[in-house]
Amino acid sequence: MNAENAAKLPNNALALMGDAVHTAFVRKRLIESHDFKANELYRRETVSVSAKAQSRLLDEIMPSLTEEETEIVRRGHSARTNNKPKNALWSEYRKATAYETLLGFLYLSGQTERLEEILEMSNKKEERL
């Protein structure tokens, strides 16, 4: 799928895909770099994929985004949802959705090099947070 077609997808579809991409990235990183038991891996994963963490990651990477990526983030931030955040503020939840929308867009549009850059950037920022 090209960027033009991916950009036409609904925000919630992009965010759903982005959530899966981010979760897979975090799981892979944890498994490769640590020798934890499954319950410890899951506990650490939930911290990294939380709305609070994703909100902070988006704040950190925003200056590095292209104009097109910034527009996708804006769309994701404005997306309507019926979901209610469990352990986050609405503002954090909306930023997390925007972050996931960006990842979903990059993945579905085949921009895998840029997706890896963003994920690695996020990983470095997350280690500092």
Side-chain angles (χ1 to χ4, degrees):
M1 177 180 300
N2 63 28
E4 185 178 330
N5 290 338
K8 292 178 183 176
L9 292 171
N11 297 329
N12 60 350
L14 294 174
L16 180 69
M17 188 76 249
D19 179 53
V21 167
H22 187 247
T23 300
F25 175 80
V26 168
R27 286 179 178 178
K28 182 177 184 271
R29 189 190 78 226
L30 285 170
I31 289 169
E32 289 175 346
S33 62
H34 302 289
D35 188 25
F36 296 127
K37 294 190 187 295
N39 61 347
E40 180 63 14
L41 284 170
Y42 178 73
R43 188 188 68 72
R44 289 175 181 251
E45 172 202 334
T46 56
V47 170
S48 296
V49 299
S50 70
K52 285 183 180 189
Q54 290 178 343
S55 172
R56 289 193 314 258
L57 290 174
L58 181 63
D59 286 340
E60 291 281 335
I61 66 168
M62 278 302 291
S64 306
L65 300 182
T66 67
E67 193 173 306
E68 178 185 43
E69 293 164 348
T70 301
E71 176 58 23
I72 294 296
V73 165
R74 187 198 60 74
R75 276 184 45 200
H77 189 271
S78 301
R80 298 245 182 247
T81 181
N82 292 330
N83 296 338
K84 181 180 173 191
K86 294 179 184 131
N87 297 310
L89 302 172
W90 272 106
S91 60
E92 293 169 329
Y93 187 79
R94 291 169 64 99
K95 282 184 187 177
T97 301
Y99 177 75
E100 291 170 348
T101 302
L102 172 63
L103 297 183
F105 169 76
L106 293 172
Y107 178 82
L108 292 171
S109 65
Q111 298 180 54
T112 53
E113 282 184 37
R114 182 60 175 159
L115 175 63
E116 284 292 323
E117 286 176 26
I118 297 286
L119 288 170
E120 285 302 325
M121 220 185 307
S122 297
N123 183 43
K124 287 181 176 110
K125 302 297 183 188
E126 187 176 6
E127 289 172 356
R128 280 192 6 229
L129 297 175

